[in-house]
Amino acid sequence: MRRPLAKLMLPSALACALTPALASPPAANGALALDNVHVVDAEHNRVGERSCVRVQDRRISLIAAAGDAACRRGAHVLDLEGRYLTPGLIDMHAHLTLGPMEMKRERGRAVLQALPDDAIAEHNANRLVAFGVTTLRNPGGDLEAAGRYESRLAAGELVGPEAFNAGPVINNAELPGLAAAARTPEDMQAVVRAQVEAGADWIKLYTGLSPELLRAGIDAAHAQGRPAVAHLESIAWPDALAMGLDGIVHLMPLSPDLLTPGQRAAWQSTARGGTYSFFEWWEHFDPDGPQADRLVAAYRQYRPVFDATLVAFHAAFVQDQDNPYKDDARRYAHPRLLSHWNEWFTFAIGWQPEDFERARAVWPKVQRMAARLYATDARMTLGTDMSNPWIAPGISLHREMELLAEAGVPTAQLLLAATRNAADALGAGDRIGRVAPGFEADLVVLDGNPLDDIAHTRDIHAVVLDGRLLTTDALNQFKGE
């Protein structure tokens, strides 16, 4: 059962606001019939014949031929005129509640913090739904803020995706609002236990951990019945997967152990700290070389959950130019975050013109490695790193799909990564991520066939969120347009 149990109990003011967006008042029994629609079958790379999909009690109750009397009986019927139906999209890397990175003075020294913001969470939730995102994985943040979001969903005070939450990422240093410190295996056990008790669905481990602490974090998460996912740099991904790590985020391996001895020496002789490694490491890595083969083999053996978040890095690589990410942010990001990115916080702080040129020069290598990893049978999903610089809610997931399509990932595989694969990775594949009887009614109606062109995932005609139909007017309201 979906955890925000009362998501459809919208407050009266919001229900009134959405009334014009409904094609007609819903049926008294709450049934909805999406008639004359093609169900997209990404698993078999095809679309079905025109069908009628009946939604009742927040679930898909029947899929029949178009015009089927039993499907339409007593329901609010929406003739979709041959449009296309997919499961709701899942963003596996969306910092829903994250506020701006800020500096404060504490005992005479500067301390970085990233405190949660409930207004930003509500803003993000609305825009995610408007772009067809009905579920998310929150990869690190304040669990009290996550709890407030879920409580407001359950009370009908806002409309948004279901969230699966990690607590603050666990690292070797604390960052209030975003990172908790663990400096010994005993610390790690205590932090993991406290996060699970506070409601964490999974555990996020971070770049500063030693191999000993990474293993301790994996073991502690598993002892608490939670998967462990990590953002890693110094520790080579195959080594972490051999420890039992369940998932990896960001296509930035950045480990010296994934370079040949000659490549490693060349990189380390000139490497600068910070985000320069986003391109300097790639200048020495060969995505078709033996270390890349080792990485691909590890993905095939251990089948980790993975989201590449290409969009977050590409946005940094083109930050010196006019680009669509800035346009997206101006239209859809919360004003506090937009101001923050414009004023100082980006992933390209300190980069000079030649650094941007070097970054763009390695982008084909990043694309090539993405294509190789997404061709494995690992549990490949999609994420955006939403709320980090220039990553606006909702639209960025579509841009992530387009970047991966440009890298050569087939459209059907991208749709599976955004739906079925992600649902399975979240442990919810028995109730979301598919268009099938018995599954929860989180659905997206598209004007074009996304198997023909992944860009059609943007052509959203309607969203069904937990059984509630939202059409163009409501979706535009949620976008702020």
Side-chain angles (χ1 to χ4, degrees), residues 7 58 109:
K7 180 185 285 188
R58 295 189 274 178
R109 63 189 181 93

Side-chain angles (χ1 to χ4, degrees), residues 322-343:
D322 289 334
N323 64 69
Y325 309 110
K326 291 183 177 180
D327 293 338
D328 293 344
R330 284 189 284 265
R331 294 183 68 184
Y332 304 120
H334 190 277
R336 281 194 67 208
L337 289 175
L338 178 61
S339 174
H340 181 53
W341 303 334
N342 277 318
E343 288 171 1

